[in-house]
Amino acid sequence: MDYSNNNPYLQFAPVPQATTNGYGTNGNRSMGKIRDALNRCGKRVELATRKAEVYADNIWHHFKVSPSLADAAMARIAQGTKVLAEGGHDKVFQQTFEVLPGEKLLNAYACYISTSTGPVIGTLYVSPKKVAFCSEYPFCYYSSTGQQQWMYYKVYVTIYFIS
């Protein structure tokens, strides 16, 4: 059926010839730009979501290992305060461990180390020459003379390359 002659409200007009400009027709140029912007936004949201998931997993693990939520929170606050007061992870690393010539701290991580008495919160330091851990709090022990003494729990492994 041909409705063009019978309906006064319906008009037919020829479609202009499409010109290509990288996105298709002129009307598709703005759609292409919108699509590109949404793709960039989607990638940023995806990256932010992945980072948030990693942070949430780290926090959840931190709370699972800690004896209580309050202890975990206080330990993290104490750790951050110590790092700020000392002038950063680099300074704490240099003051806590013997630094070899040319050794530079690559990264520091808040973590727990498993001991026979339970998990101990501290910081893991990674440098090109060693991997080291130091507890956040000193531990009480008794010397051979029976005197009470306090010390930090420290562990480190020095890396030597033999050529």
Side-chain angles (χ1 to χ4, degrees):
M1 287 185 143
D2 183 17
Y3 293 105
S4 61
N5 294 337
N6 298 335
N7 190 342
Y9 300 105
L10 189 60
Q11 297 178 2
F12 289 99
V15 176
Q17 197 65 326
T19 59
T20 59
N21 55 16
Y23 288 107
T25 62
N26 285 337
N28 286 340
R29 180 190 312 170
S30 61
M31 288 301 293
K33 287 181 180 180
I34 291 170
R35 185 176 47 246
D36 291 346
L38 288 174
N39 283 338
R40 284 191 307 271
C41 182
K43 288 177 185 176
R44 287 181 184 155
V45 168
E46 183 181 349
L47 179 63
T49 302
R50 271 195 241 129
K51 285 182 179 181
E53 287 174 349
V54 167
Y55 290 139
D57 285 345
N58 289 343
I59 291 169
W60 174 247
H61 181 71
H62 185 73
F63 288 145
K64 278 191 333 187
V65 175
S66 178
S68 75
L69 184 62
D71 288 348
M74 289 307 293
R76 292 305 296 249
I77 290 169
Q79 188 177 42
T81 304
K82 178 182 176 183
V83 169
L84 282 174
E86 299 291 329
H89 285 292
D90 289 325
K91 296 281 186 190
V92 174
F93 176 66
Q94 291 170 4
Q95 292 170 1
T96 307
F97 298 98
E98 180 183 334
V99 179
L100 301 171
E103 184 175 12
K104 219 173 185 170
L105 181 66
L106 297 176
N107 219 331
Y109 303 95
C111 67
Y112 288 91
I113 190 168
S114 181
T115 68
S116 59
T117 59
V120 175
I121 188 169
T123 304
L124 180 72
Y125 299 97
V126 179
S127 78
K129 303 201 179 208
K130 74 171 62 94
V131 176
F133 174 86
C134 183
S135 65
E136 291 303 313
Y137 303 109
F139 287 89
C140 176
Y141 78 99
Y142 293 93
S143 67
S144 58
T145 61
Q147 218 172 18
Q148 183 181 15
Q149 295 185 355
W150 293 86
M151 69 173 197
Y152 286 91
Y153 197 92
K154 292 184 195 179
V155 179
Y156 70 93
V157 176
T158 304
I159 304 166
Y160 292 103
F161 293 103
I162 301 172
S163 53

